[in-house]
Amino acid sequence: MKKKIALIFGITGQDGSYLAELLLKKNYIIHGVKRRSSSANTERIDHLFDSVNFSNKNFFIHYGDISDGTSTLNIINKVKPDEIYNLAAQSHVRVSFDIPEYTADVTAIGALRILEALRILRLKKTKYYQASSSEMYGLLEKKKSLNELTPFHPRSVYGISKVFAFHAAVHYREAYGIFASNGILFNHESPRRGPTFVTKKIVQGLVRIKKGLQKKLTLGNLYAVRDWGHAKDYATSMWKILQYKKPDNWVIATNKETTVKEFANRVAKKLGFKIKWKGKGIYEKAINLDNNKTIIDIDKKFLRPTEVDFLRGDFSKAKRLLKWKPAYNTDDLIEDMISSELEDF
Ligand code: NAP
Ligand code: F7E
């Protein structure tokens, strides 16, 4: 049987690396798009070239950038993939307050460039996956599990850009018959998470404190609530979304909520720290009871002009129709992140 061809934009990122692993196991030929960088940016996928289990004859990397429409179209034309996964984005919410125009160009218009290439090239059989995000929900009227019908009220240019890309996928589906699906993924983490996202920052920081390499960890809003899953589970959902009989929008989540503070408490406990919180607002801090020193404090530079206070996702549609459910719970996720961090020492 002819092998399926997948083209992954964002292959060097957390999700791109797990998705590439999964699709290689499923016997796909993978083409990935990587940006030119002055330093190495293939750390998360280097093992796929060397592994004895995977042959690199099924894995190709192209230089490209979704801010460049011509090269994006050329790569798609050359590869003529069965499936395109658009995981490329300026994906950091806080950073989108600093570089809003750039974020919109990559995260919103970048998605449009890929869809336009599909339209222009008349690649009607190519399926398109858009990495949509729970950040699109933003401000909520009341705290509840969010589903595919919940309205969007984004709170950052990142969220706004994802809403644009979401609707672009729906529009190209309706206007041109392109198989374009949205995975509305809630926060997902892993040992490969970028170091400035809060889960990785907490795990890395507390492990470094344990090893005597860092004095304290400084965070922002401790009371934001997130629904944290494992990126490995979420990569499986992306594939399932494109195998479904028709294009659609899908919430992928765990339906469990945790505050940033609870996440930090659980990591600290697993590492054997005994901590006590005191103070309020930006003066709140955690004391390490073994030495009476501050182990976690707050700096307002990590607060956002507008915050998404609460996110919890109802993935019952994906469970029912895609037969997808998460294998990892938050504790399994924390275990995996801590053990991988400790391996680095
Ligand atoms: P990530 O680790 O930040 O990866 C983003 C990827 O996009 C990287 O490969 C990055 O390349 C690439 N990229 C950035 N700008 C690009 C450009 N102009 N042209 C081509 N590639 C570009 O993000 P992730 O956590 O894997 O997330 C994957 C996607 O899902 C993103 O679109 C993100 O916004 C979205 N999402 C993530 C979550 C989550 O919780 N992780 C939840 C919902 C949605 P470099 O390696 O060179 O930087
Ligand atoms: O923040 C709070 C922060 O940056 C989570 C991206 O993958 O998920 C991610 O976006 C929460 C926020 O992720 C710090 O204010 C406290 O409330 O880890 P984060 P995010 O903003 O939720 C969505 C679904 C995506 O689509 C995005 O691509 O934690 N927080 N203190 C902090 N956040 C950070 N980064 N650093 C802190 O020190």
Side-chain angles (χ1 to χ4, degrees):
M1 210 175 77
K2 194 177 155 281
K3 287 186 175 185
K4 277 195 185 169
I5 300 172
L7 175 59
I8 304 177
F9 290 91
I11 196 157
T12 57
Q14 170 187 254
D15 291 5
S17 68
Y18 285 113
L19 182 66
E21 270 172 19
L22 176 81
L23 297 185
L24 282 169
K25 279 191 193 139
K26 291 190 180 296
N27 217 17
Y28 275 62
I29 294 174
I30 310 286
H31 292 260
V33 177
K34 120 183 170 96
R35 300 192 287 174
R36 143 76 192 152
S37 163
S38 66
S39 55
N41 63 351
T42 55
E43 197 185 307
R44 294 183 178 106
I45 51 168
D46 284 341
H47 63 290
L48 296 179
F49 292 103
D50 303 328
S51 164
V52 283
N53 298 315
F54 304 124
S55 157
N56 64 8
K57 71 180 189 309
N58 289 331
F59 193 28
F60 304 92
I61 294 292
H62 306 257
Y63 276 109
D65 196 304
I66 58 166
S67 63
D68 176 346
T70 316
S71 71
T72 299
L73 183 137
N74 279 337
I75 292 169
I76 294 172
N77 192 28
K78 197 162 136 193
V79 174
K80 296 201 170 50
D82 297 295
E83 295 169 9
I84 292 180
Y85 294 87
N86 177 26
L87 313 182
Q90 189 303 89
S91 73
H92 204 286
V93 175
R94 178 66 191 85
V95 172
S96 79
F97 288 93
D98 301 328
I99 47 170
E101 252 183 67
Y102 173 80
T103 301
D105 188 30
V106 174
T107 307
I109 308 300
L112 183 69
R113 290 185 183 104
I114 299 174
L115 288 162
E116 260 298 89
L118 279 174
R119 184 187 68 80
I120 292 164
L121 295 168
R122 297 177 198 278
L123 295 178
K124 288 246 171 173
K125 288 199 176 137
T126 302
K127 296 178 178 179
Y128 174 81
Y129 173 88
Q130 170 58 29
S132 290
S133 164
S134 51
E135 276 297 301
M136 299 188 304
Y137 295 116
L139 187 66
L140 303 176
E141 273 179 16
K142 70 172 195 199
K143 292 179 183 174
K144 58 170 189 176
S145 294
L146 312 171
N147 66 24
E148 291 81 1
L149 302 175
T150 309
F152 302 142
H153 185 144
R155 300 273 276 169
S156 64
V157 168
Y158 171 78
I160 295 167
S161 303
K162 285 290 184 186
V163 171
F164 176 93
F166 172 94
H167 285 301
V170 173
H171 173 60
Y172 276 64
R173 186 198 295 165
E174 291 172 358
Y176 308 114
I178 290 173
F179 190 115
S181 282
N182 284 294
I184 308 173
L185 273 51
F186 283 60
N187 296 54
H188 47 281
E189 321 293 309
S190 73
R192 298 184 196 164
R193 188 55 145 154
T196 60
F197 294 96
V198 79
T199 56
K200 181 73 170 181
K201 185 174 164 184
I202 291 169
V203 171
Q204 204 167 52
L206 292 178
V207 165
R208 283 175 59 82
I209 293 169
K210 189 89 196 160
K211 299 285 174 190
L213 297 170
Q214 188 172 321
K215 287 204 162 57
K216 64 178 168 105
L217 169 68
T218 303
L219 296 173
N221 180 7
L222 293 175
Y223 294 97
V225 173
R226 289 291 181 274
D227 174 338
W228 277 297
H230 196 299
K232 230 186 216 179
D233 282 338
Y234 288 41
T236 307
S237 77
M238 295 175 191
W239 176 75
K240 286 194 165 216
I241 285 169
L242 287 199
Q243 309 319 304
Y244 193 64
K245 59 184 179 218
K246 62 182 182 66
D248 207 339
N249 309 321
W250 305 91
V251 163
I252 300 296
T254 71
N255 210 356
K256 295 276 180 307
E257 62 187 76
T258 311
T259 62
V260 171
K261 187 173 175 179
E262 280 161 15
F263 192 96
N265 283 340
R266 288 201 213 174
V267 175
K269 192 169 175 205
K270 281 188 195 288
L271 286 169
F273 288 114
K274 288 192 194 68
I275 63 173
K276 190 172 178 206
W277 289 92
K278 61 178 209 185
K280 276 208 159 54
I282 59 161
Y283 302 106
E284 187 164 5
K285 54 175 77 164
I287 306 296
N288 180 352
L289 295 177
D290 285 335
N291 58 14
N292 264 338
K293 289 193 172 145
T294 300
I295 183 166
I296 304 174
D297 66 1
I298 310 293
D299 188 318
K300 57 179 188 302
K301 77 176 176 210
F302 296 115
L303 300 175
R304 297 164 185 193
T306 41
E307 176 64 280
V308 173
D309 295 316
F310 179 91
L311 290 174
R312 189 182 66 214
D314 169 5
F315 64 97
S316 51
K317 178 177 167 185
K319 190 174 175 194
R320 191 162 39 90
L321 299 176
L322 301 178
K323 312 288 173 226
W324 178 89
K325 64 177 173 43
Y328 286 81
N329 64 28
T330 315
D331 273 330
D332 303 328
L333 168 70
I334 291 174
E335 285 284 353
D336 191 28
M337 291 181 78
I338 291 179
S339 54
S340 150
E341 204 63 45
L342 288 169
E343 271 169 26
D344 290 348
F345 289 93

